C-alpha cells in the first residue's frame, strides 16, 4: 500500500508559525518512519518484538531531524532554525512517548529518545546533504545504526543495504518534499 502524505496547508492564506510547521513535520516524519519499519518487515527482515521495531522507527526519526536541520539551513536564520528543529523534536518526543506507551505499557520513552537524538546529532554532524540528497556516509550511518539494532543474523544481515540503497533514500525524498511543501 502506498503511503499518502498530506504536506500542503488547508488554508494557504494563514501564516503558519514555526511551532505549527514543526508539529506538521513531526506527524509526517512519524508516518514515514513507521512506513519504513513496515517496509523492512515486508522485505522479510525479522523484528524480535515491538520494542525493536520502535527502536528502528526512532532511528529514522533522528535521521529526518538531521535532514530538516540541513534543509532549513539556507531557508531560516539560526534562531528560526533552532526554533523549528526544537518544535519538531519536542513533538516527535511526544509521538515516541505516546506510541511506545500504547505498545509497551507505562514508562518513560521520551527521555531515552532525546538521549539518542543528542548522541546521534553529534555523529551526524560530520555528514553532508548535497544537492542530490544525503551523501553516502550520511545514509551509511543510518543503515549502520539500524543494522546494530536488528543484528547480523542470517535474516537481517543485508538490512544495511536495504536502508542505504532504498529505504533511506525514499524516506529522504518523501520528507524533503513535504518539508518544502510546508514552507510554500
Amino acid at each position: 500500500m502506498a503511503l499518502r502524505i498530506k504536506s500542503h496547508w488547508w488554508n494557504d492564506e494563514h501564516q503558519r508559525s514555526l511551532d505549527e510547521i514543526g508539529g506538521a513535520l513531526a506527524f509526517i516524519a512519524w508516518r514515514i518512519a513507521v512506513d519504513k519499519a513496515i517496509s523492512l518487515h515486508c522485505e522479510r527482515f525479522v523484528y524480535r518484538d515491538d520494542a525493536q521495531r520502535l527502536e528502528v522507527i526512532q532511528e529514522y526519526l533522528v535521521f529526518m531531524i538531521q535532514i530538516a536541520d540541513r534543509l532549513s539551513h539556507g531557508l531560516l536564520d539560526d534562531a528560526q532554525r533552532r526554533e523549528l528543529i526544537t518544535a519538531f523534536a519536542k513533538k516527535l518526543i511526544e509521538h515516541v512517548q505516546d506510541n511506545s506507551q500504547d505498545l509497551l505499557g507505562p514508562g518513560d520513552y521520551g527521555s531515552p529518545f532525546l538521549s539518542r537524538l543528542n548522541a546521534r546529532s553529534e555523529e551526524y554532524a560530520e555528514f553532508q546533504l548535497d544537492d542530490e540528497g544525503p551523501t553516502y556516509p550520511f545514509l551509511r550511518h543510518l543503515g549502520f545504526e539500524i543494522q546494530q539494532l536488528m543484528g547480523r543474523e542470517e535474516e537481517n544481515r543485508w538490512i544495511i543495504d536495504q536502508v542505504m540503497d532504498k529505504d533511506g533514500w525514499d524516506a529522504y525524498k518523501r520528507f524533503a518534499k513535504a518539508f518544502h511543501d510546508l514552507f510554500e
Side-chain angles (χ1 to χ4, degrees):
M1 179 187 340
L3 177 66
R4 185 163 182 253
I5 302 285
K6 291 185 179 183
S7 57
H8 291 280
W9 295 106
W10 175 74
N11 181 357
D12 286 341
E13 310 276 319
H14 179 69
Q15 183 71 21
R16 300 294 191 264
S17 70
L18 291 174
D19 192 55
E20 289 174 301
I21 294 170
L25 287 172
F27 179 77
I28 291 166
W30 179 264
R31 294 221 26 229
I32 292 169
V34 168
D35 182 64
K36 293 300 126 200
I38 291 169
S39 173
L40 290 175
H41 180 74
C42 290
E43 292 293 330
R44 306 233 188 277
F45 295 106
V46 179
Y47 291 103
R48 179 181 60 249
D49 53 25
D50 286 337
Q52 186 181 42
R53 186 183 323 264
L54 286 165
E55 297 276 328
V56 169
I57 289 169
Q58 290 178 39
E59 286 299 334
Y60 274 107
L61 295 175
V62 168
F63 173 75
M64 284 182 270
I65 288 173
Q66 304 308 312
I67 297 296
D69 184 54
R70 284 153 179 85
L71 290 174
S72 64
H73 182 70
L75 190 62
L76 305 171
D77 66 36
D78 287 345
Q80 292 172 318
R81 186 171 148 205
R82 190 171 24 263
E83 182 182 346
L84 174 68
I85 300 305
T86 300
F88 181 24
K90 283 181 178 178
K91 198 63 173 172
L92 281 178
I93 291 168
E94 290 177 28
H95 286 304
V96 168
Q97 178 64 36
D98 292 346
N99 286 280
S100 297
Q101 200 165 300
D102 287 349
L103 280 173
L104 306 175
D108 177 16
Y109 303 100
S111 296
F113 174 67
L114 180 59
S115 295
R116 173 180 298 201
L117 173 59
N118 289 333
R120 295 287 183 273
S121 292
E122 288 182 28
E123 296 164 9
Y124 276 109
E126 63 189 74
F127 306 131
Q128 302 299 313
L129 187 70
D130 61 26
D131 292 339
E132 295 178 20
T135 58
Y136 177 84
F138 205 133
L139 286 165
R140 186 181 186 295
H141 193 66
L142 172 65
F144 172 79
E145 293 301 336
I146 291 174
Q147 177 81 70
Q148 296 301 106
L149 291 170
M150 296 295 289
R152 295 184 180 271
E153 290 78 26
E154 184 64 33
E155 64 272 3
N156 290 337
R157 69 184 228 193
W158 302 111
I159 201 164
I160 190 170
D161 296 325
Q162 176 72 23
V163 171
M164 287 177 61
D165 296 340
K166 186 173 183 215
D167 292 354
W169 273 108
D170 187 57
Y172 160 73
K173 286 185 228 172
R174 288 174 182 226
F175 184 76
K177 180 188 179 321
F179 181 92
H180 291 300
D181 289 348
L182 290 174
F183 279 97
E184 285 184 349

